Amino acid sequence: MSDAVIVSDARKGGKMALLSEFWDYFSESRGAVAGLVVFVAVCLIAIFADAVAPYLPQEQYRDAFLKPPFWQEGADPRFILGTDAVGRDILSRLIYGSRYSLFIGVIVVTISMLLGVTIGLLTGFFRGAFDNAVMRVMDVFLSFPSLLLALVLVALLGPSLTNAMIAIALIQQPHYVRLTRAAVMSEMGKDYVTAARVAGVGNIRLMLVTILPNCMGPLIVQAALSFSDAILAAAALGFLGMGAQPPTPEWGTMLADAREYVTRAWWVVTMPGLAILITVLAINLMGDGLRDALDPRLRRS
Amino acid sequence: MLRFLLSRILLLIPTFIGISIVSFGFIRMLPGDPVLLMAGERSLTPERHAALLKLLGFDRPLWEQYLGYLWKLLQGDLGISLKTKIPVAQEFLTLFPATIELSLCAVIFAIVLGIPAGVLAAVRRGTVFDHSVMGTALIGFSMPIFWWGLLLIILFSVTLQWTPVSGRIALTYFFQPVTGFMLIDSLISGQAGAFKSAARHLILPTIVLGTIPLGVIARQTRSAMLEVLGDDYVRTARAKGLSTVRVVGIHALRNALIPVITTIGLQVGTLLAGAILTETIFSWPGVGKWMIDAISRRDYPSVQGGLLLIAGVVMVVNLIVDLLYGLTDPRIRYRS
């Protein structure tokens, strides 16, 4: 009885130690920490949008069309970042828009990771003809430029945010398949796997409990990368009119609306793109930090 | 080498079949009656509908339809555009040079700036220069390029009026395309100012399309250089008393370039995806804009054909990169 307690204590301590070691490496890069701070801020803004945003995103002020941001002449003090062509507060729309971008990122990463890791585990574990066939299918997926395939899928399913997310997730999953498969194959040859097998561990437990946790490093880095990719792709689809539909305050869709005001109202164009860039940049900074912290080969001794 | 070549080409066959199945399946997966979809806006009598169903082969079993599609495909027949009534393959080929020209310029832009920036950042690792280059590269890598294009238009076309907003050349110039590359054709035409006009039209789209590859190449070059600079042979070269320029520029860079070349090759898909956005923003008459137009016009044969051809291009370029890789590194050639 007491033995068990000690073991679990040791495990807990081990986890904490691992975590603090990870944080040491991660916080070594100032960029990664800055990225994390910005990302957490965006998350908080998205969660508390109702409290933070001065107005509702679809609320129109008919006395304030295309008002510039507060530092420019002719600005309306009520609207800090100005208003768009139908008198909606840009700041409020950006704040609510963060919900869509983060939601897109979370959903796309979850779907593509679940799908990709499952396929990758199965192919890497069982190999053989099944593996060959699946990998050829993945090759086909990867020979289409991602945005093109997403566009065509959306053309098939009809333009909407949900369909855009499904399309992007389908396009990203081959990357998880490849990574998981490669990691599983390299783990399969190791002694601890053989030991577990000899001890009578079944296939499913072997895959999920024994092998998978040791493959997580590259997958976590890929998740960060594909999170920012998903936000960019969804915004691009929105921009092309194939993603979220107006009047949704999704950032890419806002840009599509803004295109005709390029010559007259720079802020309508600039603000949504800036929001996309800052969010994506923050996530990529975090991703770089994660990679450096999780990839022992890159660690400076 | 021949065996390597053959094995790589053989590997293409299943991929090509997969691509053809995807593009074949595309029209069949569309919700609704394919004949009505193909007919577009026109109304059909029931007799005409039945005749078309038979003519287009939709009444036969799926596998037979697919084989028929494949057979036509191998003869270069990709169907006819609903909108223009021009064969899809022909339309693609007339527009493709515009996309190649733009993509080539973007890649050259990215290489010419990215490799020296990456090398210098690696040599001056940890300095302000290194940090600012890597920061800029990460921004480029994270850039929503459709927005970047709009910003550049606001600054350079609208405010400063330095560059035109859209198209490939001013409408005052007209000449028969010879190569399809506007820069070359405008020179051949001998018309005064034509080349300058073409070049001015090309600048902004090149920057926009080259931004992400530029970020990727600069980052990759830096990390590859850092890896190589720590190697023994570089230390030996230094110990021999060779100048830094020689050590870095010749000894180290040559080996560091191998992963960089692979990265550049892998950018082809990114480039073509970026071309869709860039061409849309700048009304650049290439295949990217054509695909977007075809999708929004529901010109399904064009979408189907474009999908296949673009994937085919990516597949062939990947093969070429693979072969080049095998050519520079014998270990890869003999591994299989």
Side-chain angles (χ1 to χ4, degrees), chain A residues 185-199 206 210-211 214:
Chain A
M185 275 161 43
S186 80
E187 292 300 313
M188 286 287 281
K190 293 190 179 161
D191 289 342
Y192 78 93
V193 178
T194 319
R197 218 194 261 282
V198 171
L206 204 57
T210 315
I211 297 177
N214 292 308

Side-chain angles (χ1 to χ4, degrees), chain A residues 38-292:
Chain A
V38 174
F39 181 69
V40 170
V42 175
C43 290
L44 290 177
I45 288 174
I47 295 168
F48 299 110
D50 294 318
V52 182
Y55 306 100
L56 285 173
Q58 59 286 56
E59 213 168 348
Q60 297 182 11
Y61 291 86
R62 298 192 181 259
D63 55 335
F65 293 151
L66 289 176
K67 289 285 180 197
F70 70 94
W71 62 86
Q72 270 207 333
E73 224 173 295
D76 188 325
R78 285 179 296 167
F79 309 109
I80 298 173
L81 292 183
T83 58
D84 65 8
V86 289
R88 293 175 296 200
D89 179 38
I90 290 182
L91 179 65
S92 304
R93 286 178 69 72
L94 289 182
I95 289 173
Y96 279 97
S98 62
R99 286 189 168 173
Y100 290 91
S101 286
L102 293 180
F103 179 68
I104 290 163
V106 170
I107 298 291
V108 167
V109 169
T110 312
I111 299 178
S112 55
M113 207 170 175
L114 276 179
L115 209 66
V117 169
T118 312
I119 299 175
L121 264 179
L122 291 172
T123 50
F125 193 84
F126 293 111
R127 309 294 309 274
F130 164 70
D131 173 41
N132 253 324
V134 171
M135 290 321 282
R136 290 291 84 75
V137 173
M138 293 302 142
D139 280 352
V140 173
F141 264 104
L142 290 170
S143 26
F144 294 97
S146 56
L147 185 66
L148 180 66
L149 205 52
L151 272 171
V152 169
L153 280 173
V154 169
L156 271 181
L157 304 166
S160 78
L161 191 61
T162 318
N163 291 341
M165 288 193 292
I166 295 173
I168 299 167
L170 278 178
I171 280 145
Q172 290 195 343
Q173 53 81 23
H175 297 284
Y176 290 99
V177 174
R178 285 199 160 180
L179 276 176
T180 316
R181 176 173 171 272
V184 168
M185 275 161 43
S186 80
E187 292 300 313
M188 286 287 281
K190 293 190 179 161
D191 289 342
Y192 78 93
V193 178
T194 319
R197 218 194 261 282
V198 171
V201 175
N203 276 344
I204 291 176
R205 194 182 154 82
L206 204 57
M207 272 192 269
L208 295 179
V209 183
T210 315
I211 297 177
L212 186 59
N214 292 308
C215 306
M216 286 314 283
L219 290 176
I220 291 170
V221 177
Q222 175 65 30
L225 262 180
S226 64
F227 198 105
S228 60
D229 255 8
I231 292 179
L232 274 183
L237 286 176
F239 178 73
L240 293 168
M242 301 280 175
Q245 296 298 306
T248 314
E250 195 271 321
W251 294 337
T253 314
M254 283 173 74
L255 270 175
D257 282 349
R259 265 183 83 182
E260 26 181 325
Y261 303 101
V262 160
T263 51
R264 291 195 284 144
W266 61 268
W267 60 92
V268 183
V269 181
T270 311
M271 301 305 172
L274 210 55
I276 301 173
L277 177 62
I278 290 172
T279 312
V280 171
L281 191 60
I283 298 169
N284 283 342
L285 277 169
M286 265 169 46
D288 274 4
L290 280 176
R291 194 193 50 214
D292 292 346

